[in-house]
């Protein structure tokens, strides 16, 4: 089963509204990262939150991490049409001595004008 | 600064043919990765490298080989392509083991 699972799988909101996406994971992590992927493009790194951090901000992005619940959320405030994309959480885990970044299946976000 | 460059961007192969996907980065990153992305499966790690001359297996390595002869290049080879290898392939790199990754724009491969 997936280490990181995003919820919801798809989200459609009006421009100007806030968008919240959630990520749950199963094993302990070193850090958790969020990426954006526009249609037909590669992934772009948005923000990284370390396991000892609880909240982080970057522009209109706010990420929270609750290691006791093994969950994270990504909030995009005042959404814009350009925010339409898929968003992936990725957990940085150490497995058998090797560090790996494990991606969830993503949330497809649509911002309606 | 080009970042991570993947070639080719598109390719159609017949079953049994071979090909090599090239990934080049100009950021002096130590770590490089190959992922495949399939609908409903997210990204899955194929192989990765922690430095020049090193490679290691990821989650789905079967049917693929890799080489990292130069620090800036990471090659992914398909010796005998199968329809199950139809996918979008992404290369990524990072400077340190726990940094964010920089991704290439992908290679869309179809095996018929």
């Amino acid at each position: 089963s997936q280490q990181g699972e995003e919820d919801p799988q798809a989200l459609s909101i009006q421009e100007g509204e806030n968008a919240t996406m959630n990520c749950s994971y199963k094993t302990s992590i070193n850090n958790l990262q969020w990426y954006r992927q526009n249609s037909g493009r590669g992934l772009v790194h948005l923000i990284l939150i370390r396991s000892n951090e609880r909240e982080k901000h970057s522009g209109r992005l706010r990420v929270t991490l609750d290691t006791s619940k093994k969950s994270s959320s990504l909030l995009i405030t005042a959404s814009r049409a350009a925010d339409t994309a898929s968003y992936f959480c990725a957990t940085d885990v150490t497995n058998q001595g090797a560090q790996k970044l494990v991606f969830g299946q993503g949330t497809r976000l649509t911002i309606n004008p | 600064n080009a970042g991570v460059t993947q070639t080719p961007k598109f390719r159609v192969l017949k079953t049994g043919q071979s090909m090599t996907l090239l990934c080049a980065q100009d950021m002096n990153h130590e770590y490089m990765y190959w992922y495949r992305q399939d609908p409903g499966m997210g990204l899955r790690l194929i192989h990765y490298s922690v430095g020049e001359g090193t490679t290691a297996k990821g989650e789905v390595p079967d049917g693929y080989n890799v080489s990292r002869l130069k620090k800036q290049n990471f090659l992914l080879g398909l010796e005998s392509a199968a329809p199950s290898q139809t996918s979008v392939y992404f290369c990524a790199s990072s400077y340190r083991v726990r940094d964010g990754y920089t991704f290439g724009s992908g290679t869309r491969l179809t095996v018929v």
Side-chain angles (χ1 to χ4, degrees), chain B residues 4-78:
Chain B
V4 176
T5 302
Q6 291 184 234
T7 53
K9 295 191 183 308
F10 303 94
R11 185 74 185 268
V12 178
L13 284 180
K14 293 182 179 179
T15 298
Q17 287 185 320
S18 63
M19 77 164 295
T20 300
L21 283 68
L22 172 63
C23 176
Q25 53 93 5
D26 61 0
M27 298 170 286
N28 200 35
H29 284 176
E30 289 291 336
Y31 301 86
M32 298 188 74
Y33 316 86
W34 276 106
Y35 285 87
R36 60 178 289 173
Q37 185 177 33
D38 303 291
M41 301 291 290
L43 278 83
R44 292 181 291 169
L45 181 64
I46 304 171
H47 285 281
Y48 63 100
S49 169
V50 300
E52 181 179 317
T54 75
T55 63
K57 293 180 180 179
E59 182 185 358
V60 288
D62 293 343
Y64 306 95
N65 56 75
V66 288
S67 64
R68 182 104 181 262
L69 299 180
K70 293 183 178 180
K71 186 177 184 179
Q72 63 267 36
N73 296 335
F74 195 28
L75 279 62
L76 177 70
L78 286 73

